[in-house]
Amino acid sequence: MKINKINSLVFAMLFGFGLSGQAQTKQWTLEECVRYALDNNITIKVSELDVQNAEINKKDAFGRYLPSVNGNASHSWNIGLNQDVTTGVLRNQTTQYSSVGLNAGVDIYKGLQNQNTYRRTKLAIIASQYQLLKMQEDISLNVANAFLQILGYKEDLKIKTEQLSIDEKRLKRSEEMVNAGTIPRGDLYDLKATIATDKQNIAVSENNLLISKLSLAQLLQLKEFADFDVVDDTNAKDENNIMAQNPIDIYNKAKETRTELKLAQTNLEIAEKNVAIAKGAYQPTLTGFYGFNTRASYSDQVKFDDQNQPYTTGPDPIFQQFSDNKGHNFGLQLNVPIFNGFSVRNNVERNKVSLEKSKIDLEQKSLDLQRNVYTAFTNAKAALNTYEAATITLEARQQAYNYAKEKYDVGLMNSFDFTQAQTLLTNAQSDVIRTKYDYLFKIKILEFYFGIPIVPIPAK
């Protein structure tokens, strides 16, 4: 089932690329690919949203410095024997009451938790920005790798297509030589088999090229990938002379520039703030509060005369009642933690453990960076040596092929031996392509650690 899906996808791409081949295809540069990915990749968009969340959390933390103010209002109907809220007399009647109030509170001292929380949110913003930058750098490197793979498959397809053209010309000439009796007919059959193999190799190369284009198009989040193509003007050279650098110099530069170290350091500072916030719960808290309330009744009022005899009158004006019945309350509230089931202590210890883990993570990131830099340098050096060796091998195979062709053309070499020489030449050409782009990617990785980006990442 999975194979059928893959075949269907490849067929769809073949059909799409075939139709689009009639139109002029835009060819993307490496810089265009990277910048497009930075603007459209889904994982980067998610990281950008994380930065926005961190900004919102900072606003929440700032809001803790401000007083909380809440208003309230109510209106009620009471039927039957009820106590008059104004006079306190029990009466059997239907009454209506309205009340309004306002309450405010502010933290005066809370063990510096508000201050440390605000500082932590600022560090969290920095951490989320570093995380976004790291995601952008990883995507840039992945795009560069996919881009170079496409170039490699394009060159490989070009070589195999040229080889097919050469073999087809040889077939025509061989047919003439067979008819003339110069070479045996068996050589003609061997050549036809070679052409069939060439066509198979071309089909494989075309498939590899299409799949590599699809991979890059998906990495860029392109919706229309049928006419997607890249320029093929990359040369295998160390433009920034990175191989002339000493590995220790690259490592020292990486310690200053690499995002993963900055992120680990920021996470360590966040863990320190978490410990301080947790310790703040040991300390007493002092809160200021203020309250205002008033009420009014819509029912007849029971009042008392000079002889303290009750009598009934109509309700006073509403606004006058609100004015007469208003009240204020304010003060300070001190809370001293004495015993809380070890919850505060356990929270402090838990955050201390997290702090130690952050310290270990920072140390591990530094060790990983050192290992990665030396590994990248060794890999780049090995890739260069392999590429140079493949180039020398190709030159020798080309000379051997030219010599074999001369012998074959005058009848001093049979078709089988000549095909072997040709196959060795094709393999050598493929090795040069493979090692060339492997070297290019290894150089990009080494430049990456040295602080040279694939393309400059714009600040947002």
Side-chain angles (χ1 to χ4, degrees):
M1 180 65 68
K2 184 180 292 186
I3 295 177
N4 292 335
K5 289 182 178 179
I6 295 175
N7 291 336
S8 300
L9 177 62
V10 172
F11 176 78
M13 291 188 61
L14 287 168
F15 181 75
F17 276 105
L19 291 178
S20 62
Q22 300 176 359
Q24 186 175 2
T25 302
K26 168 182 169 53
Q27 292 187 323
W28 293 60
T29 65
L30 175 58
E31 181 175 353
E32 287 176 332
C33 289
V34 172
R35 293 197 180 282
Y36 190 90
L38 296 181
D39 291 336
N40 297 276
N41 187 268
I42 291 178
T43 53
I44 290 179
K45 290 183 178 295
V46 172
S47 293
E48 289 174 344
L49 293 177
D50 290 338
V51 175
Q52 294 181 24
N53 276 333
E55 294 282 358
I56 295 172
N57 291 337
K58 178 185 174 183
K59 295 178 181 178
D60 281 340
F62 180 77
R64 296 187 180 184
Y65 287 107
L66 305 176
S68 61
V69 180
N70 298 285
N72 60 79
S74 67
H75 184 85
S76 62
W77 288 263
N78 297 314
I79 302 174
L81 187 63
N82 294 287
Q83 185 179 38
D84 192 305
V85 297
T86 303
T87 65
V89 176
L90 292 174
R91 302 179 62 195
N92 194 353
Q93 62 178 350
T94 298
T95 60
Q96 297 184 54
Y97 298 101
S98 293
S99 65
V100 294
L102 182 71
N103 297 293
V106 61
D107 291 330
I108 298 175
Y109 182 77
K110 199 177 180 181
L112 300 180
Q113 287 183 311
N114 290 344
Q115 292 86 337
N116 286 322
T117 299
Y118 182 72
R119 292 164 186 160
R120 183 188 62 184
T121 58
K122 295 200 313 188
L123 290 172
I125 292 176
I126 297 174
S128 62
Q129 290 171 341
Y130 282 144
Q131 186 63 49
L132 172 60
L133 179 59
K134 186 178 184 302
M135 184 65 66
Q136 291 172 330
E137 291 171 342
D138 291 344
I139 292 295
S140 298
L141 206 58
N142 291 337
V143 168
N145 185 30
F147 186 92
L148 293 176
Q149 282 185 346
I150 293 177
L151 296 184
Y153 286 130
K154 289 178 73 173
E155 287 199 20
D156 184 66
L157 177 60
K158 181 180 179 182
I159 290 175
K160 291 178 178 177
T161 302
E162 291 176 351
Q163 189 59 56
L164 174 61
S165 178
I166 293 174
D167 288 340
E168 288 177 339
K169 292 179 181 178
R170 280 181 53 210
L171 178 62
K172 292 182 180 180
R173 185 171 181 277
S174 296
E175 289 175 344
E176 296 175 354
M177 295 176 69
V178 167
N179 293 332
T182 306
I183 60 174
R185 185 170 295 275
D187 289 355
L188 186 62
Y189 296 146
D190 287 339
L191 188 54
K192 288 182 178 181
T194 300
I195 291 175
T197 301
D198 290 342
K199 292 181 179 179
Q200 291 178 359
N201 292 335
I202 289 176
V204 172
S205 294
E206 288 176 340
N207 181 70
N208 290 335
L209 177 58
L210 291 174
I211 294 299
S212 65
K213 288 183 177 180
L214 173 61
S215 298
L216 181 55
Q218 289 181 332
L219 195 59
L220 302 183
Q221 308 297 155
L222 287 177
K223 296 181 180 179
E224 301 293 336
F225 56 81
D227 58 348
F228 177 73
D229 199 4
V230 302
V231 297
D232 50 358
D233 58 351
T234 304
N235 297 319
K237 60 182 180 180
D238 184 5
E239 297 178 349
N240 294 297
N241 200 27
I242 193 67
M243 293 302 296
Q245 299 290 335
N246 189 290
I248 189 63
D249 294 332
I250 298 177
Y251 171 63
N252 290 333
K253 181 72 173 180
K255 286 195 299 184
E256 299 175 359
T257 59
R258 287 307 307 136
T259 305
E260 57 264 30
L261 282 188
K262 295 179 180 179
L263 177 58
Q265 178 62 44
T266 305
N267 286 334
L268 174 59
E269 295 174 10
I270 291 175
E272 292 173 343
K273 291 301 177 186
N274 285 334
V275 172
I277 293 170
K279 287 183 176 179
Y282 280 126
Q283 302 184 36
T285 61
L286 180 63
T287 305
F289 62 89
Y290 168 78
F292 168 81
N293 62 83
T294 185
R295 64 186 182 276
S297 172
Y298 298 85
S299 305
D300 292 340
Q301 302 293 312
V302 177
K303 296 185 179 181
F304 298 89
D305 57 19
D306 295 339
Q307 284 75 36
N308 202 27
Q309 296 298 316
Y311 65 94
T312 302
T313 66
D316 292 337
I318 298 301
F319 289 106
Q320 180 181 342
Q321 292 187 59
F322 280 138
S323 177
D324 293 340
N325 297 327
K326 64 185 177 182
H328 305 269
N329 68 90
F330 55 88
L332 300 174
Q333 180 177 347
L334 178 67
N335 291 320
V336 180
I338 298 176
F339 182 75
N340 44 49
F342 304 112
S343 62
V344 174
R345 191 190 72 172
N346 291 339
N347 192 38
V348 171
E349 294 300 320
R350 188 180 300 109
N351 281 282
K352 284 183 177 180
V353 171
S354 298
L355 175 60
E356 291 302 316
K357 290 175 64 177
S358 296
K359 291 179 180 178
I360 294 173
D361 182 65
L362 176 59
E363 183 179 358
Q364 185 63 53
K365 287 290 193 301
S366 181
L367 293 174
D368 291 343
L369 179 62
Q370 185 179 28
R371 183 182 66 252
N372 292 338
V373 167
Y374 277 86
T375 300
F377 186 85
T378 302
N379 289 342
K381 188 175 182 180
L384 175 60
N385 293 334
T386 303
Y387 172 61
E388 291 175 344
T391 303
I392 295 174
T393 301
L394 176 59
E395 293 176 355
R397 292 299 182 191
Q398 185 66 56
Q399 293 176 358
Y401 171 79
N402 293 338
Y403 178 69
K405 186 175 184 303
E406 291 176 358
K407 293 178 64 176
Y408 178 77
D409 289 342
V410 297
L412 297 179
M413 178 179 286
N414 59 41
S415 177
F416 178 80
D417 291 337
F418 179 69
T419 300
Q420 289 295 105
Q422 180 177 305
T423 300
L424 292 174
L425 174 61
T426 302
N427 292 339
Q429 290 172 330
S430 298
D431 286 341
V432 168
I433 294 172
R434 177 181 57 80
T435 57
K436 168 185 175 181
Y437 288 104
D438 181 63
Y439 167 63
L440 272 176
F441 185 62
K442 296 297 194 302
I443 287 295
K444 290 295 182 184
I445 294 177
L446 201 57
E447 291 177 346
F448 187 67
Y449 285 119
F450 197 64
I452 303 174
I454 305 298
V455 298
I457 297 177
K460 292 187 178 180

